[in-house]
Amino acid sequence: KRLRRDMEPAKPKMALSTVSDRRPLASSSKTTASIRPLRSATVAMAPSRGVLRQNVASVAQRDLAKQPGATSAPGTAVVGGAGGRRPGWDVRGKVTDMQAKLHSYQSRVKDTNKENDELKGSMASIEKRKVEMGRELENQRSQIRTYQTELQDLAGVREELERAMSERTTLQRERTHLQDKNTVLETLRDSQGLELQTLKMKMAVQESSLERLQASLQQKEQEAHLLQETVGRQEDELHAGEMERRQLHNTIQELKGNIRVFCRVRPLVGGGISDHIQLPPTDNKALVLAKYEESHVGRTGDTQKTYNFSFDRVFGPSATQQEVFEEISLLVQSALDGYNVCCFAYGQTGSGKTFTMEGGDSYQAMGVIPRAVQQVFLAAHKLTDQGWKFSFRASFVEIYNESLRDLLYTGKASKRPEHEIRKSAANEISVTNLTYQTVTTEDQVHNLIAVANQNRSTAQTNQNDRSSRSHSVFQLDIEGEHAGRHVTCKSVLCLVDLAGSERVLKSQAQGDRFKEMTAINGSLSHLGLVITALANKESYIPYRNTKLTYLLQNCLGGNSKTLMFVNVAPESDSFGESLNSLRFASKVNDCVIGTASSNKR
């Protein structure tokens, strides 16, 4: 601010512009000779915020007006005055005006030069002052930096001082707190000293009690060791009991026969009692098939011809699904014990084979397959408490016209794979490219049955509107392991719904139905031959004659238990087919195969 105030008086109030040359008139040579030619002059002023350029004529007029006693001749015009310009003939007057202007300009130039010199001196002093002030400013800045450094150091010292003061206050508080705590501890020490004396007395008493407890503990440990040994013996006895139960159960099943035949009579569609099928009320193993025949000579009346059959169990039309399954539940238990079990339904079309094996949707109508799976799962769950662990794998295969079809296949029909029956080195039967589904619940098995029913081949015949034209084979592979005893068992539960068997003349099959009927009757005939060969202890068993017997090889041989359901239709027009079915079942019932052995290691 001081520098600005010092510089303000030296500022010029105005700046002059460049004055251009003008030549005098040619008529006055003398006057022009005495006048110096005007040259352009630039007046340098001190630095200003703007340069004001003024017209030369207007400046000359202002100077003449300021001169005292300056008047214009009468009749002449003064340049820039109120009277206007001089006339052209007044050359002397114009020269006089020009000389006056020149004199004014020269005086102003002198004043301007003088002011310029003064300004130059002022500028030099100002520059010198500026340099000194710059040095002083730099010194001040350096000093300010020094002061800032010292101020930062002082700020750090101040912070340390504040922290020290805070720590001091904290330490004082802690000291006070420790003093109070020390007082309390001293009081507590005195009280605990008294308690210590008391505890010493109590400890002496406790030591004597501890000795008694240690003696008691040793006694309890001995008892626990004895109990553990008892538990081990009981587990051994339980395992031995389970093994003995399996052996006795198998003995009972063998006494009943490794091949057993049950007969089931379907109720009439319209209700009532069949005329040609008689079931003795006191014998649930007998069945009588009777038929009235006309006399060939015509002299005597009609005669009744009867056929007596005896099976392991005969179920009448009123028998429920639960009653039927109770008779084979022990056989299903043998599958969980490690024995191969096969149960198949045989009979003419419409005799109730599928209902016996699969049943209906309600619980009361459940057939052999869902009830057998339910029993296997329940028994396996109970055996888990004894250390057993089981896994189950299910498959559904159909034998149609001597070709295998996967009933659980859900892909495109055009990409259906081919299947072949293979026998491993361990005599295990398997089917290539077959869907094996791991199951853990009953609902999964019900879903598999539903899928298989949708894929199974059926057709309409004279005997049934929806006749099964193929053999349906459900297999449940069972694997059990007892890790603690290092015992494993492996078995197969095979449940088969055979295709309907009837004579060609009875069914009046033609075309594809005739071909299907031929394949069905052929496979059933070979099934009978295999069972007969097993009963006769023949060296060669014709398992490979049909896909059905080859697939059921492990379930029909001596190392298995087999149950056959022969289903009979009660209608009178089915007498011939019922008679053939019962005769075939009687042959199977008369067969005796060797003792079965469990597949365990």
Side-chain angles (χ1 to χ4, degrees):
K1 291 182 180 180
R2 287 195 304 271
L3 178 61
R4 188 176 298 173
R5 284 197 300 269
D6 293 339
M7 294 175 64
E8 282 179 358
K11 290 182 179 180
K13 295 182 180 180
M14 60 182 297
L16 297 179
S17 61
T18 304
V19 181
S20 61
D21 296 340
R22 287 191 180 184
R23 292 182 179 273
L25 298 174
S27 61
S28 179
S29 59
K30 182 179 179 180
T31 305
T32 57
S34 62
I35 298 174
R36 291 182 299 176
L38 297 176
R39 295 179 180 178
S40 61
T42 302
V43 181
M45 295 297 178
S48 61
R49 299 179 183 177
V51 179
L52 179 62
R53 296 179 180 270
Q54 295 182 347
N55 190 280
V56 176
S58 61
V59 174
Q61 291 175 5
R62 186 174 65 251
D63 294 339
L64 290 176
K66 290 181 180 180
Q67 294 180 1
T71 59
S72 60
T76 62
V78 181
V79 178
R85 299 175 60 88
R86 289 180 182 273
W89 53 264
D90 192 3
V91 176
R92 187 179 295 279
K94 291 182 179 181
V95 171
T96 302
D97 293 338
M98 295 298 293
Q99 288 177 350
K101 288 181 182 180
L102 179 62
H103 179 74
S104 176
Y105 288 153
Q106 290 176 351
S107 61
R108 287 185 64 82
V109 167
K110 291 179 180 180
D111 295 338
T112 301
N113 291 333
K114 184 178 180 180
E115 290 179 2
N116 193 14
D117 294 336
E118 292 176 357
L119 289 174
K120 287 180 179 180
S122 177
M123 286 297 295
S125 61
I126 288 172
E127 291 292 333
K128 184 177 181 180
R129 176 75 173 172
K130 179 180 178 183
V131 173
E132 293 177 356
M133 291 184 71
R135 294 175 181 173
E136 184 179 356
L137 179 61
E138 185 65 29
N139 293 333
Q140 292 292 336
R141 288 177 178 175
S142 176
Q143 190 173 5
I144 287 173
R145 288 194 292 271
T146 304
Y147 289 159
Q148 288 178 349
T149 305
E150 293 178 356
L151 181 60
Q152 291 178 357
D153 296 339
L154 290 175
V157 173
R158 183 176 181 180
E159 292 178 357
E160 292 179 358
L161 181 60
E162 290 178 354
R163 287 197 298 269
M165 294 296 292
S166 176
E167 292 177 358
R168 178 186 175 187
T169 304
T170 305
L171 291 174
Q172 288 178 351
R173 292 176 181 174
E174 290 180 355
R175 185 187 66 179
T176 304
H177 178 69
L178 291 174
Q179 288 176 352
D180 297 339
K181 188 175 182 180
N182 186 31
T183 303
V184 175
L185 290 175
E186 288 178 353
T187 305
L188 183 62
R189 182 193 62 186
D190 296 337
S191 62
Q192 286 184 348
L194 297 175
E195 292 181 0
L196 181 61
Q197 297 297 327
T198 305
L199 288 175
K200 286 181 178 180
M201 298 175 63
K202 291 182 178 180
M203 188 176 65
V205 177
Q206 293 293 336
E207 286 179 352
S208 61
S209 300
L210 179 61
E211 292 178 356
R212 293 193 301 270
L213 289 175
Q214 286 179 348
S216 177
L217 178 61
Q218 292 178 355
Q219 183 180 359
K220 295 296 183 183
E221 288 178 350
Q222 293 178 357
E223 293 178 358
H225 182 69
L226 293 176
L227 290 175
Q228 288 179 354
E229 292 180 352
T230 303
V231 170
R233 288 195 303 270
Q234 289 179 351
E235 288 180 352
D236 294 339
E237 292 175 358
L238 183 62
H239 179 71
E242 174 64 20
M243 295 297 102
E244 185 178 1
R245 181 202 64 78
R246 293 188 178 190
Q247 184 177 2
L248 294 175
H249 177 79
N250 183 55
T251 301
I252 294 173
Q253 298 305 311
E254 288 180 352
L255 291 175
K256 291 183 177 180
N258 284 331
I259 292 184
R260 281 180 282 173
V261 178
F262 290 173
C263 178
R264 188 177 188 183
V265 180
R266 177 178 60 79
L268 288 171
V269 178
I273 301 175
S274 176
D275 295 334
H276 66 282
I277 296 179
Q278 301 174 6
L279 301 176
T282 58
D283 189 2
N284 58 5
K285 297 182 178 182
L287 180 144
V288 178
L289 194 64
K291 182 179 182 181
Y292 287 96
E293 294 183 354
E294 296 181 358
S295 174
H296 296 287
V297 296
R299 297 178 182 178
T300 59
D302 296 341
T303 59
Q304 184 181 18
K305 191 173 184 179
T306 60
Y307 302 90
N308 297 320
F309 296 96
S310 178
F311 302 104
D312 293 282
R313 180 65 190 271
V314 177
F315 297 96
S318 61
T320 62
Q321 297 280 66
Q322 179 64 27
E323 293 176 359
V324 173
F325 181 74
E326 286 178 356
E327 290 295 326
I328 66 171
S329 60
L330 296 178
L331 194 63
V332 174
Q333 179 64 39
S334 297
L336 201 63
D337 294 342
Y339 297 92
N340 292 338
V341 175
C342 178
C343 177
F344 58 90
Y346 177 84
Q348 71 178 91
T349 299
S351 59
K353 300 184 302 298
T354 303
F355 180 76
T356 299
M357 299 305 295
E358 299 179 6
D361 297 331
S362 63
Y363 177 78
Q364 291 77 10
M366 286 173 54
V368 171
I369 295 178
R371 290 180 185 273
V373 172
Q374 182 183 37
Q375 178 180 342
V376 168
F377 284 158
L378 291 176
H381 180 70
K382 292 179 180 179
L383 289 175
T384 54
D385 297 335
Q386 300 181 16
W388 285 92
K389 183 179 180 181
F390 289 89
S391 61
F392 305 96
R393 193 177 64 164
S395 64
F396 241 120
V397 66
E398 176 186 46
I399 302 175
Y400 176 75
N401 284 345
E402 285 302 304
S403 62
L404 299 178
R405 295 179 59 190
D406 186 3
L407 293 181
L408 301 182
Y409 177 75
T410 57
K412 295 182 179 179
S414 59
K415 297 183 179 181
R416 182 181 291 274
E418 295 182 357
H419 306 283
E420 293 182 1
I421 301 175
R422 298 287 177 84
K423 187 175 183 179
S424 64
N427 292 327
E428 294 182 356
I429 300 298
S430 62
V431 180
T432 59
N433 301 323
L434 186 64
T435 302
Y436 290 95
Q437 186 73 36
T438 301
V439 292
T440 56
T441 61
E442 303 171 25
D443 293 337
Q444 292 177 341
V445 177
H446 288 297
N447 294 335
L448 296 181
I449 294 174
V451 173
N453 287 335
Q454 292 178 357
N455 295 332
R456 190 174 180 185
S457 300
T458 59
Q460 183 178 3
T461 65
N462 289 346
Q463 298 296 106
N464 192 0
D465 292 338
R466 193 172 184 272
S467 175
S468 299
R469 313 312 298 161
S470 63
H471 307 301
S472 172
V473 181
F474 171 80
Q475 284 189 343
L476 184 67
D477 297 335
I478 305 173
E479 292 186 7
E481 180 182 6
H482 195 298
R485 303 289 176 178
H486 303 288
V487 178
T488 59
C489 64
K490 188 174 183 181
S491 61
V492 177
L493 175 61
C494 190
L495 305 175
V496 186
D497 180 13
L498 297 175
S501 63
E502 61 267 352
R503 291 169 297 176
V504 177
L505 295 177
K506 181 70 175 180
S507 62
Q508 297 181 2
Q510 298 178 357
D512 293 339
R513 302 291 84 79
F514 178 78
K515 183 179 179 181
E516 294 168 354
M517 181 61 59
T518 303
I520 293 171
N521 291 336
S523 61
L524 294 177
S525 298
H526 284 288
L527 177 63
L529 294 176
V530 167
I531 295 176
T532 302
L534 289 171
N536 296 333
K537 304 292 190 302
E538 296 180 3
S539 59
Y540 173 74
I541 309 298
Y543 289 118
R544 294 178 177 268
N545 288 354
T546 62
K547 295 292 180 64
L548 176 64
T549 55
Y550 192 23
L551 181 63
L552 300 179
Q553 178 177 350
N554 289 344
C555 298
L556 295 176
N559 192 26
S560 64
K561 300 179 184 298
T562 306
L563 173 65
M564 173 181 174
F565 270 103
V566 54
N567 295 79
V568 179
E571 287 78 11
S572 58
D573 57 351
S574 299
F575 180 86
E577 298 297 333
S578 299
L579 181 60
N580 290 334
S581 298
L582 293 174
R583 285 175 175 173
F584 177 79
S586 296
K587 292 180 181 180
V588 174
N589 195 31
D590 294 336
C591 295
V592 177
I593 60 178
T595 303
S597 59
S598 62
N599 301 318
K600 64 180 180 180
R601 296 189 298 272

